[in-house]
Amino acid sequence: MKDNNCIKIVEVFRTENGSVSQCNKTNSYILEFGGTTCSFKASDFIDFTKRVNSLDLVGMILSSSSVTDVTVLMPPYSERCFVLTLTDVLNLKELLGGAKFSLHLNSVIWECLRPHLYSI
Amino acid sequence: MKDLLRLRTSLSEEIELLLNEQIKTEAYSSAVYLAMASYCNRNGFDYSAGYLENQSNEERGHMLKIFKYINDLGGRAISPEVVNIPQEFESFKGVFELALQQEIKVTSQLNRIADQCMRLKDYTTFEFIQWFLKEQIEEEYVARRILELFDVIGEEGTGRWQIDKQIPKVSYGESAGEE
Ligand SMILES: [Fe+2]
Ligand SMILES: [Fe+2]
């Protein structure tokens, strides 16, 4: 664990479509997906994940209008945006879901180890 | 790997969500009490209107208490969207029947939060929520006592005028059953 903290960028989760990493120096997450890279503060990352998960996939599938073929998502405090097709949304969900699991597992491990790490 | 989630906040996602829902409920209560105040005002129940306005302020106070708690712990408190506020009510008595129902709903929601806190071993929020559970004893007591006035005094003749005058005087004693 200690050695790991010296490494500044740690990969959290990767799929063939993108990756989520964490920067231990700036305490932020880095999302790389579909050629776009952005960094998030922890709370903004969770918020972004929630927004992706609440996208209306069924609506996208059922609608015949070409406007709903893509969804545009703006990450917070960023000039960039993600233009996502249905497949992209599914892939992004998979990536963020995996990252979330990995991050929560990490929290659980820390919770177990903490009493042993800082004992006086 | 450094635990950034825990560095951000000690609140779990589930509890943060539940607390934000409670913010919304308190805001809704506040808005409904205000609508009730307006109804009473335009129907000539001045004392009740004043009482309900105060209730509305109290509910907003509850909302802010939770709002502050979430933010203090590093979470993300959400300013709630409040919709579907009834503006008309069945009757003078109907107002207070609805008030009691709303308070009962709030109590059961707070109980669910306490339950989840236990399940997730979040004793900080469990402790925080105790104040609200205690407050609900008073809220339900007062709402019930007010409703009883309609039976005790009766609505006939000058009954409603008398009930209106009594409503702001209903209060909860130091311990249950005390006047
Ligand atoms: Fe309340
Ligand atoms: Fe209340």
Side-chain angles (χ1 to χ4, degrees):
Chain A
M1 282 282 171
K2 212 168 191 178
D3 283 341
N4 221 345
N5 273 344
C6 301
I7 306 165
K8 285 182 195 118
I9 309 269
V10 187
E11 187 171 289
V12 175
F13 195 73
R14 173 180 290 280
T15 65
E16 52 189 29
N17 300 297
S19 69
V20 172
S21 316
Q22 114 172 14
C23 175
N24 287 336
K25 197 177 172 209
T26 57
N27 285 353
S28 59
Y29 296 112
I30 300 150
L31 169 68
E32 181 269 305
F33 184 82
T36 305
T37 305
C38 24
S39 92
F40 298 84
K41 275 179 19 184
S43 91
D44 294 328
F45 181 72
I46 291 159
D47 189 55
F48 183 74
T49 304
K50 277 185 192 154
R51 269 164 56 205
V52 171
N53 283 331
S54 66
L55 287 176
D56 179 16
L57 283 176
V58 179
M60 275 177 90
I61 295 167
L62 293 182
S63 168
S64 54
S65 152
S66 61
V67 183
T68 49
D69 283 351
V70 291
T71 298
V72 179
L73 259 191
M74 297 272 291
Y77 320 113
S78 168
E79 301 278 285
R80 294 165 201 283
C81 68
F82 290 101
V83 181
L84 307 166
T85 65
L86 191 62
T87 326
D88 292 338
V89 174
L90 288 171
N91 288 335
L92 186 57
K93 274 191 183 188
E94 185 198 7
L95 174 62
L96 293 174
K100 189 179 161 185
F101 175 79
S102 187
L103 291 171
H104 277 105
L105 179 62
N106 184 52
S107 289
V108 171
I109 294 170
W110 270 99
E111 201 57 47
C112 296
L113 293 180
R114 218 166 260 127
H116 308 289
L117 287 174
Y118 303 120
S119 53
I120 305 159
Chain B
M1 174 164 75
K2 208 167 162 184
D3 187 1
L4 296 189
L5 293 184
R6 183 63 179 86
L7 289 182
R8 172 181 89 95
T9 177
S10 55
L11 284 175
S12 70
E13 233 181 293
E14 287 110 311
I15 296 293
E16 189 180 312
L17 191 79
L18 282 176
L19 289 175
N20 269 313
E21 269 168 23
Q22 192 59 36
I23 284 183
K24 204 169 178 164
T25 305
E26 299 291 348
Y28 180 83
S29 295
S30 174
V32 172
Y33 276 125
L34 202 60
M36 289 169 167
S38 174
Y39 170 91
C40 285
N41 194 294
R42 63 182 180 270
N43 285 288
F45 304 114
D46 269 2
Y47 292 97
S48 300
Y51 163 79
L52 290 162
E53 234 176 78
N54 281 340
Q55 275 302 114
S56 173
N57 285 338
E58 254 189 45
E59 299 298 350
R60 185 178 154 77
H62 297 167
M63 180 195 87
L64 289 175
K65 211 176 161 93
I66 306 169
F67 195 88
K68 195 171 175 310
Y69 176 79
I70 297 178
N71 280 339
D72 281 354
L73 269 75
R76 181 183 282 245
I78 293 167
S79 176
E81 234 167 276
V82 187
V83 289
N84 291 329
I85 309 302
Q87 303 294 340
E88 285 302 331
F89 302 89
E90 231 169 82
S91 60
F92 185 34
K93 189 181 178 186
V95 164
F96 292 95
E97 267 170 6
L98 194 67
L100 176 58
Q101 273 172 26
Q102 176 68 15
E103 291 301 341
I104 291 171
K105 200 183 122 195
V106 169
T107 306
S108 72
Q109 218 171 297
L110 288 165
N111 268 323
R112 274 212 301 281
I113 296 179
D115 205 45
Q116 276 293 80
C117 288
M118 278 292 212
R119 209 176 60 77
L120 297 168
K121 298 188 169 57
D122 181 350
Y123 297 109
T124 317
T125 307
F126 184 76
E127 167 72 25
F128 169 73
I129 224 70
Q130 299 308 306
W131 182 90
F132 286 85
L133 285 169
K134 230 176 148 186
E135 172 77 9
Q136 281 314 110
I137 301 176
E138 179 176 339
E139 299 272 75
E140 279 197 35
Y141 173 90
V142 171
R144 264 191 209 101
R145 273 277 178 262
I146 287 178
L147 262 187
E148 276 160 11
L149 290 179
F150 285 82
D151 292 330
V152 174
I153 300 174
E155 292 189 66
E156 308 75 32
T158 55
R160 281 204 282 270
W161 177 78
Q162 281 187 54
I163 294 167
D164 180 46
K165 268 179 89 168
Q166 290 305 315
I167 280 173
K169 293 182 195 157
V170 177
S171 68
Y172 179 68
E174 279 298 291
S175 61
E178 217 175 273
E179 269 301 296

